Amino acid sequence: MEEKKFDLNSIIGFVLIFGILIWIMYQNQPSEKEIAAEKAKKELVAKQEAQAKADKTKTAVVPVTAATPGDTAQIAELQKSLGGFAYSATLPSAKESFTTIENEKIKLKIANKGGYIVEATLKEFKRFEKNSGQLVELIKDNNSNLNIQLQTTDNRTLNSKDLFFEPTLTKVGADQVLSMRLKAGANEFLEYKYILKPNDYLVGFDIRSQGLNKVLNSSKPLDLVWDLKTYRNEKSISYENRYAQIEYEYGDEKYSSVSANGEGKEETPEKVSYIAFKQHFFTTILSTDKAFEKSRLQSDNLVKDEKIDTVFTKQFKATVPLAFSNGEVDYKMSWYFGPADYKVLKSYDKNFEKIIPLGWGIFGWINKWIFIPLFGFLSSTIGLSLGIAIIIFTILIKLAMSPITYKSFLSQAKMKVLRPEISELGEKFKKDPMKKQQETMKLYNKAGVNPMAGCIPALIQLPFMYASFQFFPSAFELRQKGFLWADDLSSFDAVVKLPFHIPLYGDHISLFPILAAIAIFFYMKMTSGDQQMAAPQQEGMPDMAKMMKIMIYVSPLMMLIFFNSYGAGLSLYNFISNLITIGIMFVIKNYIVDTDKIHAQIQENKLKEPKKQSKFQQRLQEVMEQQEAAKAQNKKK
């Protein structure tokens, strides 16, 4: 019986596939060296900040109690600490009070002290099923601050977050307009203006000053500091945290993020048009019509231990300069508080949709122009349940790829027919590997067979595989949508809760990854024999058949380990995808490809004039001849 072997092209294809899979899983994982470097950097930054604080001699400590206009002693005391802004502490608004504005989608609570948003609630979305009655709150309980460091003409440093603003709420048509003014006099102020339209996630946010040229030092920009500690909103905190990071647009619609793993500190290379503090399925975005100059961004991971750190995911911070123009500050900006949903973000025509990680190059193109429109049509237009939509989506993608699958299998069948003749050449030129390779290439050319034809179709399918790894974790439609035993297709589908934690695997057993692993196992079992029969063992190469046997078991194991905590939607897609591939291969093998006809065609091709070699084949032939000549020359020496 002829020994089954596995050809080099196939093993290269599988190695590429698994290499990409491993890269996808670990692209966000920092090395020990990076962790140590980041720790050292943080320690250095902490020392520098401590030294900077020690060097400051005139930083105001602002009282929280108000003064009456007639209380001259208290006003005099305020004047010592607040300078020109002492007037703000004498107003009736100088107290711990709040103003609420809301529409059908969001509810915002703005404080008099600091004039910034202290609560931002999304009225249409709830947190993970454990707290199903609780709405998603992006800002609450002092997890966010907005502060302008005010450099005064008398060399003081005041923080706007410690000062009292005067609120005025009005209606302009259907819009709610809230003016928050930090006053230095009756007509001298720093103003935050919030504009909330009906049924909208976007909030207009203007910052301007009036008559403060004698109060503020305008020789350098003011620093606007925005920080946010992001709350956990999903079932798996580690999975949610993987997709939480700072994203920003700069320059001429260029886009970037703060480090691959979402933790780091950097200065933007050019002017910034928006900064997004993105969580997995929700985001807060600060955008500006007049771009900020170079800004400083920082992201810190707050999930060191998933068992203990269960409330927050990341700590974000952005420091942006507000430039003076003719002695005043005037910026028209906006806040976005809402879902990280591609279609919703794109509707604002501000390039917000770029914060959704669809992949770069061809991967992003596949997601943007194929996956998103097709899945949106199935789930929204037709109105299918999300699980059924995933199944039909997968079927359509696999059917579209079936011609490529057919070409791959056809190539394997041709190689299988040529196997006896290739083996004969191997025996004939056993002592001359170079000659054997040359004669093998001649046989391929004469028979009209391309040995690379089986590998190329597999490589063509790789972008679609990678695109799916980007698409499903970003598909907002899957959030909290159930299918069969999975109560949330955007998170893991645990059927068993383990009383212990297994490294890399987790503390639960998800069923869809098990089904996907079984499907992969049978697919590889089904195809490995034909692939091994299709190509000869290469001289000097390890036993590919043994390597293939190992990979048959390694591939399902990788699926079980890495996908156990991934979203059930992605695992469902992989299960159905492999199941369909098995079906397509079965039909092609048993009802479409006729080995006898292929053999007859190859024999007929041999009688014809050999096809002209491709440039690649010509170059390969030249390299072989050069190596053969060099070998002969060395023997003469």
Side-chain angles (χ1 to χ4, degrees), residues 543-584:
D543 192 333
M544 296 300 174
K546 290 182 179 179
M547 292 181 64
M548 185 58 191
K549 288 179 181 178
I550 294 173
M551 293 177 71
I552 288 174
Y553 296 96
V554 169
S555 178
L557 183 61
M558 290 176 63
M559 173 63 72
L560 285 175
I561 293 175
F562 294 119
F563 282 74
N564 189 59
S565 294
Y566 265 61
L570 180 59
S571 297
L572 173 61
Y573 171 82
N574 280 292
F575 168 57
I576 299 299
S577 177
N578 284 289
L579 210 59
I580 294 171
T581 303
I582 291 173
I584 291 175

Side-chain angles (χ1 to χ4, degrees), residues 374 377-378 391-401 580:
L374 178 58
F377 174 77
L378 294 172
I391 293 174
I392 296 178
F393 171 85
T394 311
I395 292 173
L396 294 176
I397 294 296
K398 296 305 292 185
L399 287 178
M401 301 293 290
I580 294 171

Side-chain angles (χ1 to χ4, degrees), residues 181-191 208-212:
R181 291 183 175 181
L182 171 61
K183 292 190 171 183
N187 295 305
E188 296 85 37
F189 54 82
L190 174 69
E191 181 185 46
R208 73 181 184 97
S209 65
Q210 178 176 302
L212 296 182

Side-chain angles (χ1 to χ4, degrees), residues 293-454:
E293 294 293 337
K294 291 183 179 180
S295 306
R296 299 189 302 276
L297 306 174
Q298 181 175 344
S299 174
D300 295 297
N301 182 26
L302 301 180
V303 183
K304 307 299 182 183
D305 186 339
E306 187 178 345
K307 296 179 182 178
I308 301 173
D309 305 322
T310 60
V311 179
F312 300 102
T313 55
K314 291 281 185 359
Q315 173 74 61
F316 295 140
K317 183 177 181 180
T319 303
V320 300
L322 301 180
F324 284 92
S325 177
N326 298 321
E328 302 289 357
V329 171
D330 190 2
Y331 278 79
K332 293 189 179 300
M333 300 182 285
S334 61
W335 291 106
Y336 174 88
F337 299 100
D341 184 328
Y342 182 87
K343 293 186 291 294
V344 174
L345 293 171
K346 187 175 176 59
S347 68
Y348 288 101
D349 196 27
K350 291 177 175 285
N351 295 324
F352 287 168
E353 71 276 6
K354 288 184 178 180
I355 72 171
I356 306 298
L358 298 179
W360 52 270
I362 189 173
F363 313 118
W365 185 90
I366 290 172
N367 276 321
K368 185 176 180 180
W369 300 110
I370 300 177
F371 283 10
I372 290 177
L374 178 58
F375 192 74
F377 174 77
L378 294 172
S379 60
S380 300
T381 307
I382 298 181
L384 298 173
S385 73
L386 271 297
I388 299 299
I390 290 175
I391 293 174
I392 296 178
F393 171 85
T394 311
I395 292 173
L396 294 176
I397 294 296
K398 296 305 292 185
L399 287 178
M401 301 293 290
S402 59
I404 297 176
T405 306
Y406 168 75
K407 286 185 175 295
S408 179
F409 191 85
L410 182 62
S411 175
Q412 293 172 18
K414 289 180 178 180
M415 295 292 290
K416 183 178 179 180
V417 170
L418 285 178
R419 176 62 191 267
E421 295 182 55
I422 295 174
S423 297
E424 289 178 8
L425 291 175
E427 287 296 322
K428 184 177 180 180
F429 301 103
K430 183 185 296 185
K431 296 182 180 180
D432 192 347
M434 185 64 66
K435 184 66 174 177
K436 184 189 76 170
Q437 290 288 352
Q438 291 175 341
E439 293 300 319
T440 300
M441 291 299 295
K442 288 180 182 179
L443 175 62
Y444 287 150
N445 187 47
K446 191 175 182 180
V449 174
N450 183 357
M452 295 296 294

